[in-house]
Amino acid sequence: MSKAAATDRLIVALDVETVEAARALAATLGDAVSFYKIGMELAYGGGLTLAQELKDAGKRVFMDLKLHDIGATVERATRQIARMGVDFLTIHAYPQTMAAARAGAGDLKLLAVTVMTSYDDADLKEAGYAYGVADLVARRAAQAKAAGIDGLILSPLELVTIRPVIGPDMLLVTPGVRPAGADAGDQKRIMTPAQAIAASADHIVVGRPITRAADPRAAAQAIVGEIESALALGR
Ligand code: C5P
């Protein structure tokens, strides 16, 4: 599997309210960042147009839309997103949803969300599941691989347990990354960029440590530097 260059390993979460704010942030970051994540908040506020602009500017774009619906709808929605020419799309890791998205995706890479990190064992029980978090993550990771899904969104700590289960080829993408000494915010189980890369993450998703930094470009460059050092050490 070919590994992306250090800059390409960093995905910046454009978690801002307006397209104007996101556009200004991307302009500030310039060539320090090559890959952006657009989530639901921005997507529903004009972010689909912004995705196109970013693609036209030569950036890679991850649409974090977490699709989940009946198969026919997921397949057709995925096909529409694939037509935009973006790079990654998230879907929930239900077998029907994954099969449908696969049918509609073409070259668009699909990332499955196994279990939301805001859920613990008690939340899953409350929602009617027979599995705890660790078992359900492992089960859904195996189902995603069987469905031909390209990668998984995992918390940093799950990287370590899931990589051996799914093998080297699936992309592992992790949020919850904080540079050493940075404010963890509401992220509870964090790793540094270097630790996440060493733990076999293909891409790390970083939001506030860059988007709310006094100097976002310098913050992004520092993280890319950390990724470079980790890659030089072997991964
Ligand atoms: O600002 P921060 O670096 O915490 O942003 C992380 C990004 O990753 C946010 O867009 C957040 O919604 C997303 N994310 C997460 N944890 C998950 C799934 C997605 O933090 N389990």
Side-chain angles (χ1 to χ4, degrees):
M1 168 183 175
S2 72
K3 291 291 175 189
T7 310
D8 230 29
R9 301 287 196 110
L10 171 64
I11 302 178
V12 175
L14 286 173
D15 294 330
V16 293
E17 211 173 313
T18 65
V19 168
E20 291 70 32
R23 210 177 265 138
L25 190 55
T28 300
L29 292 168
D31 62 5
V33 171
S34 62
F35 212 149
Y36 287 102
K37 179 169 93 71
I38 295 178
M40 282 190 241
E41 179 188 10
L42 191 57
Y44 295 142
L48 300 183
T49 309
L50 178 70
Q52 211 66 70
E53 285 175 28
L54 290 169
K55 285 305 298 179
D56 291 346
K59 303 299 181 187
R60 299 182 78 200
V61 175
F62 168 6
M63 297 304 295
D64 188 12
L65 301 179
K66 298 189 176 69
L67 301 191
H68 183 46
D69 205 314
I70 61 167
T73 302
V74 169
E75 180 177 340
R76 288 153 64 140
T78 302
R79 191 163 289 125
Q80 294 281 35
I81 295 161
R83 283 193 189 114
M84 293 170 57
V86 294
D87 298 277
F88 288 177
L89 169 69
T90 42
I91 54 171
H92 282 283
Y94 286 76
Q96 281 187 12
T97 299
M98 293 191 289
R102 185 69 280 158
D107 293 336
L108 169 64
K109 289 206 185 309
L110 297 170
L111 303 177
V113 178
T114 55
V115 177
M116 303 298 304
T117 48
S118 55
Y119 278 65
D120 62 18
D121 289 349
D123 294 316
L124 287 179
K125 193 169 180 208
E126 169 81 10
Y129 289 91
Y131 291 87
V133 172
D135 290 340
L136 192 54
V137 168
R139 181 182 176 86
R140 289 183 166 172
Q143 289 173 330
K145 185 174 182 181
I149 297 304
D150 301 284
L152 300 171
I153 306 289
L154 294 176
S155 79
L157 300 187
E158 289 163 351
L159 294 172
V160 180
T161 51
I162 295 301
R163 175 62 85 190
V165 177
I166 52 121
D169 291 337
M170 281 179 91
L171 295 168
L172 297 185
V173 178
T174 188
V177 173
R178 290 289 176 271
D183 180 9
D186 50 8
Q187 296 284 8
K188 297 200 170 55
R189 296 181 299 160
I190 57 173
M191 281 189 184
T192 66
Q195 287 169 334
I197 295 296
S200 87
D202 294 286
H203 297 276
I204 61 174
V205 175
V206 182
R208 288 160 293 181
I210 293 173
T211 59
R212 310 232 175 131
D215 185 343
R217 185 176 162 87
Q221 284 169 328
I223 290 174
V224 170
E226 217 185 300
I227 294 171
E228 258 162 12
S229 309
L231 291 172
L233 287 174
R235 234 197 94 84

